[in-house]
Amino acid sequence: MNCRRCGTPLRKPGDFCLTCNTANADAVVSEFEPDRATLTVLDEDAIVGETTVTTRPESAERLSEVQLRNFAGRVADEIRRKRPDTVYAAGEREPLRETRAQLHHEFYRVPDARTDRDRGRGRSSTESGRDGRDVSPVVEWVLDRRGDRALEVVETPPREKIGGSHSTLIGDRKGRRAVGTVAEHPHVKKIVPGPIDASGTGSRTGLRAKATRAGTNGNVRLLLRDGSSVQENRIVTTAMDRETGERVRDDLNEALRDAELQDE
């Protein structure tokens, strides 16, 4: 593949051209399996390339911490070569989480529900894409939504997004971590803590956090439970309707699971 602007040959399809500083792709879809990651490179609705990064676990059960970090680092390096606007990801949680930590791109996780039917069948499970090529359900899911209006990115620092008449959060440090995790999301404008209801049934599971179903205006609620206390916090997002609000909600719940504040 050559650069679309100056014609310089690119080492890999979709690479950013260093000769004329031109991007040749705007998104990367990363699908993680235990021992590999498949990266599909997109330029608008066109698939311009695909790369597979593999690793070999030291044990039959899982990657070691060092291997995981190195595997994710190789995936992150491949993504940086493209300098995409957006990264979409699905699959194995640990390498996905580590790769996201090593990147500074806008990062979306494709909801697991979209790929449940294909678990255990790997990349052999494909569908015919809009250009006639066989693509995985994950890539097809992304292509179907590429035409959606992009959500506004909020540049406000996370700490400044929290406000309202109620300043107390249940769960002490974990409660603050849950709210901070939500505040870090680029499509969250503001978090308004709600009153605390201590009339619930006690629980020994510790603080649990969950983003509830989006409303018609795209906003969601952050439900915190700690023992017999419950607190519902309003989250104002940049989503414009329920469908786009659900995308933000999925991201928030994934982030809360990554922070070990939500049951698997």
Side-chain angles (χ1 to χ4, degrees):
M1 178 179 177
N2 296 333
C3 172
R4 61 175 147 192
R5 181 178 180 185
C6 68
T8 299
L10 304 174
R11 183 181 171 190
K12 292 186 177 182
D15 278 359
F16 186 88
C17 180
L18 298 176
T19 301
C20 66
N21 294 323
T22 297
N24 290 282
D26 60 8
V28 175
V29 183
S30 307
E31 299 178 63
F32 290 90
E33 297 177 52
D35 59 350
R36 70 184 58 233
T38 302
L39 310 182
T40 303
V41 185
L42 305 179
D43 184 26
E44 295 184 348
D45 287 346
I47 298 174
V48 298
E50 184 178 281
T51 299
T52 300
V53 179
T54 61
T55 188
R56 180 175 296 176
E58 292 178 353
S59 70
E61 295 183 359
R62 57 181 296 178
L63 295 172
S64 69
E65 184 176 345
V66 173
Q67 274 190 301
L68 178 64
R69 187 164 57 248
N70 291 342
F71 176 37
R74 291 174 57 208
V75 175
D77 285 343
E78 286 292 335
I79 293 173
R80 291 190 193 99
R81 294 176 61 94
K82 318 303 179 188
R83 300 192 190 180
D85 296 326
T86 310
V87 178
Y88 299 89
E92 288 292 314
R93 190 180 307 280
E94 288 190 353
L96 187 157
R97 181 186 303 166
E98 179 61 30
T99 300
R100 178 167 56 187
Q102 295 188 30
L103 291 171
H104 299 288
H105 298 78
E106 191 173 55
F107 204 105
Y108 291 102
R109 199 186 198 291
V110 175
D112 288 341
R114 301 294 176 179
T115 55
D116 278 346
R117 66 183 185 215
D118 303 297
R119 282 201 179 122
R121 295 191 289 170
R123 292 280 298 176
S124 61
S125 180
T126 58
E127 299 176 359
S128 179
R130 63 186 66 194
D131 61 355
R133 296 179 58 173
D134 285 339
V135 298
S136 74
V138 174
V139 174
E140 187 65 17
W141 187 92
V142 172
L143 288 172
D144 283 345
R145 286 153 182 80
R146 295 295 328 264
D148 292 348
R149 285 186 292 166
L151 298 183
E152 176 190 352
V153 173
V154 180
E155 303 293 346
T156 306
R159 187 175 300 177
E160 296 179 15
K161 294 180 180 180
I162 305 169
S165 57
H166 297 276
S167 58
T168 303
L169 296 169
I170 65 172
D172 298 324
R173 185 175 63 180
K174 281 193 173 181
R176 292 192 296 272
R177 183 153 62 93
V179 171
T181 297
V182 169
E184 288 175 357
H185 194 280
H187 302 318
V188 169
K189 290 181 179 179
K190 188 175 182 180
I191 302 173
V192 182
I196 298 172
D197 181 358
S199 61
T201 302
S203 171
R204 296 182 180 179
T205 58
L207 185 128
R208 300 285 89 182
K210 180 180 181 180
T212 63
R213 191 167 188 265
T216 55
N217 57 1
N219 294 333
V220 300
R221 303 272 177 171
L222 174 65
L223 195 65
L224 300 179
R225 294 182 180 273
D226 184 35
S228 61
S229 298
V230 178
Q231 184 176 26
E232 189 175 76
N233 307 282
R234 185 163 62 95
I235 305 172
V236 182
T237 76
T238 59
M240 67 288 293
D241 52 33
R242 174 168 285 152
E243 182 179 357
T244 50
E246 284 294 291
R247 286 165 44 191
V248 175
R249 180 181 75 100
D250 287 338
D251 284 350
L252 295 178
N253 280 325
E254 183 64 30
L256 291 168
R257 281 191 289 272
D258 287 348
E260 298 181 348
L261 294 167
Q262 192 175 103
D263 296 329
E264 296 288 343

